[in-house]
Amino acid sequence: MNKQIVQHITTKYQEQFNAKPILSFAPGRINIIGEHTDYNDGFALPAAIDKGIFAALSITENNLCTVTSLDLEESFQFQLTNLNSIKNGGWKNYVIGVVAEIQKTGKKLSNFNLMISGDIPQGSGLSSSAALENSIVNGLNELLDLKLSKEKMILISQKAEHNYVGVQCGIMDQYASMFGVKGTALLLDCRDLNSTPISIQLHDHSLLLVNSNIQHSLAESAYNNRRKVCEKISKILGIKSLRDANEEQVIKLIDSMNSEDVLKALYVVQENQRVKKAVELLKENNLPELGQLLYQTHKGLKDQYQVSCEELDFLVDFTKNQDSVLGARMMGGGFGGCTLNLIRKDSINQFKNNISKAYLQAFQKECSFYLVHASDGVKIITNNT
Ligand code: ADP
Ligand code: MG
């Protein structure tokens, strides 16, 4: 845990609000495989990481709530009795959304002050958004003794994003951030929200993220459109969601439908199969084949689902000539953000040098790196954590 942030946010909170806050932490997440499957009731293999967002909170006697993002150096206020999303409100709508969705469950809130700060890059596919939502709902749950279960809290976070931010996200991000278990990835069934922890034993390999530093904007991107395409095809097939489709069923549609849409649906069906295969490979410790699966997923996201971009393709293609990398793929919603790389530990520095030079030359842009470890989900920070 980032002790510096804990210290900094506690000090700043005292300065602004003259009170001692409780601290809630929610991590971001990686996803080993299973991209764009969650809103299709499918499977994914995410893990919480050791980076995330801290929310500091205390009750106030004021008749409104004040919220500050230390990272964005912005503050705003709202009244609990008058909660609406703000036009072009950006991060504020995540906060308003969580508070409003808690109220919709019938829970009574009292006025509070909130400060947030984190060490997770925003808009990079590590789900700073779910970390933000979960840190707030978990913090309010503790502060006001709301007695919300973790299952309820992730649905509140997801609905905040749907109804107040406008991103029709699946549940994977909120789930992984809430339920993460150290040293494991969660084989998540997004239909019934059950998960099985799968131990990640990479031995002489690590998971390294390379950030393209191209920030995606999911709300404005084609994310909601992809979801619509999937729903349309499910309807045509007469099934609840693409989770229930098989390859033959989808391929048959090719004569009667827009072939780009059919390819997208086919991607989802194949990606669900890859998740199950990846779990077997992890159990057998077959990292080379797992790496190949990551490349297959990238190809599917690029050519079939069409959510990659030039920079991400470059970062993935570059690894194919690096002996130390077993596999790589873009991770998250797409159109920017990070690639996930399965890389031999002893070559990380060399690899970083090689890929940064090449990326700089190709795009006149720096890439950045994060070594990530599967970690526990949300927590309340006490003096002895
Ligand atoms: P991702 O979840 O992949 O990081 P999103 O676009 O879904 O990308 O979410 C990023 C948004 O979450 C930011 O644009 C911002 O509105 C909000 N956010 C994330 N971290 C913070 C933070 N520390 N302070 C304020 N807002 C944040
Ligand atoms: Mg997000």
Side-chain angles (χ1 to χ4, degrees):
M1 193 199 338
N2 194 323
K3 293 217 162 98
Q4 257 176 328
I5 299 187
V6 171
Q7 279 236 316
H8 186 62
I9 197 171
T10 311
T11 312
K12 287 282 178 187
Y13 196 96
Q14 296 262 14
E15 275 173 29
Q16 184 175 354
F17 299 117
N18 196 22
K20 191 171 177 335
I22 65 147
L23 278 184
S24 156
F25 171 76
R29 60 105 193 88
I30 53 167
N31 183 22
I32 293 180
I33 202 159
E35 211 65 81
H36 286 275
T37 46
D38 60 351
Y39 54 82
N40 288 297
D41 280 353
F43 298 93
L45 195 55
I49 56 174
D50 45 356
K51 291 181 185 302
I53 294 199
F54 294 84
L57 312 97
S58 68
I59 293 173
T60 175
E61 299 300 320
N62 296 343
N63 60 358
L64 40 66
C65 300
T66 303
V67 186
T68 297
S69 165
L70 279 185
D71 306 326
L72 300 179
E73 298 181 352
E74 274 184 52
S75 273
F76 75 109
Q77 297 183 314
F78 61 85
Q79 237 136 17
L80 288 170
T81 46
N82 185 19
L83 280 174
N84 295 302
S85 60
I86 302 168
K87 199 161 181 249
N88 299 322
W91 69 282
K92 297 169 189 160
N93 286 331
Y94 294 91
V95 182
I96 290 173
V98 168
V99 177
E101 291 296 342
I102 294 176
Q103 286 184 330
K104 285 188 200 167
T105 68
K107 301 281 178 188
K108 285 258 168 302
L109 300 181
S110 11
N111 286 306
F112 60 89
N113 292 324
L114 166 67
M115 186 175 271
I116 52 186
S117 181
D119 56 357
I120 187 166
Q122 297 173 28
S124 297
L126 301 189
S127 206
S128 64
S129 56
L132 178 60
E133 294 146 11
N134 278 354
S135 69
I136 299 169
V137 68
N138 183 52
L140 286 172
N141 188 48
E142 176 76 14
L143 182 72
L144 304 172
D145 195 22
L146 301 176
K147 301 198 165 46
L148 293 163
S149 65
K150 286 186 167 184
E151 286 77 8
K152 282 237 168 72
M153 288 199 277
I154 59 171
L155 295 177
I156 287 169
S157 291
Q158 185 193 29
K159 282 187 192 143
E161 197 151 334
H162 285 187
N163 299 334
Y164 292 80
V165 180
V167 180
Q168 298 298 313
C169 60
I171 195 67
M172 170 177 70
D173 298 354
Q174 290 80 4
Y175 191 100
S177 168
M178 185 68 70
F179 290 98
V181 179
K182 195 174 175 179
T184 73
L186 302 174
L187 170 58
L188 172 61
D189 180 333
C190 300
R191 172 163 278 166
D192 64 13
L193 294 189
N194 277 330
S195 68
T196 316
I198 308 291
S199 168
I200 313 185
Q201 308 242 5
L202 301 178
H203 307 282
D204 50 356
H205 283 76
S206 286
L207 293 171
L208 177 74
L209 302 178
V210 181
N211 192 345
S212 65
N213 288 321
I214 305 289
Q215 277 196 2
H216 63 78
S217 167
L218 287 183
E220 285 151 20
S221 76
Y223 189 93
N224 293 347
N225 160 282
R226 294 296 180 282
R227 190 171 177 146
K228 277 203 191 117
V229 168
C230 294
E231 283 163 5
K232 181 173 82 182
I233 296 199
S234 302
K235 215 165 162 195
I236 291 169
L237 289 174
I239 53 180
K240 192 162 171 279
S241 56
L242 286 179
R243 146 79 171 264
D244 303 314
N246 60 44
E247 286 192 56
E248 294 80 71
Q249 266 176 307
V250 176
I251 290 168
K252 271 192 199 146
L253 295 173
I254 217 115
D255 296 328
S256 57
M257 278 196 67
N258 174 328
S259 61
E260 289 200 358
D261 286 357
V262 177
L263 281 178
K264 289 187 181 101
L266 195 59
Y267 160 80
V268 173
V269 174
Q270 292 168 341
E271 182 70 352
N272 276 327
Q273 294 163 0
R274 280 190 286 266
V275 174
K276 290 181 188 159
K277 180 99 202 284
V279 169
E280 293 313 310
L281 293 171
L282 268 172
K283 286 181 181 165
E284 291 162 13
N285 196 28
N286 187 342
L287 298 185
E289 271 196 47
L290 179 65
Q292 287 308 309
L293 272 190
L294 298 185
Y295 282 132
Q296 284 174 25
T297 290
H298 186 79
K299 193 167 170 4
L301 288 165
K302 169 177 177 269
D303 297 333
Q304 294 169 243
Y305 217 62
Q306 298 190 22
V307 290
S308 187
C309 64
E310 227 187 310
E311 291 85 351
L312 290 172
D313 294 340
F314 179 91
L315 291 174
V316 169
D317 285 342
F318 184 85
T319 66
K320 292 180 180 162
N321 301 322
Q322 306 281 308
D323 290 344
S324 58
V325 179
L326 293 178
R329 70 177 191 85
M330 56 149 280
M331 198 185 71
F335 309 106
C338 293
T339 61
L340 175 74
N341 298 264
L342 182 55
I343 183 172
R344 220 173 48 230
K345 279 183 183 149
D346 61 12
S347 307
I348 290 177
N349 285 338
Q350 183 65 47
F351 171 75
K352 281 183 179 173
N353 264 330
N354 297 347
I355 201 165
S356 2
K357 271 193 207 132
Y359 190 68
L360 188 63
Q361 201 172 26
F363 298 101
Q364 292 75 53
K365 215 172 165 57
E366 304 274 349
C367 55
S368 25
F369 303 94
Y370 317 100
L371 252 187
V372 284
H373 306 283
S375 305
D376 286 326
V378 291
K379 57 179 137 211
I380 297 297
I381 315 280
T382 54
N383 286 336
N384 32 21
T385 359

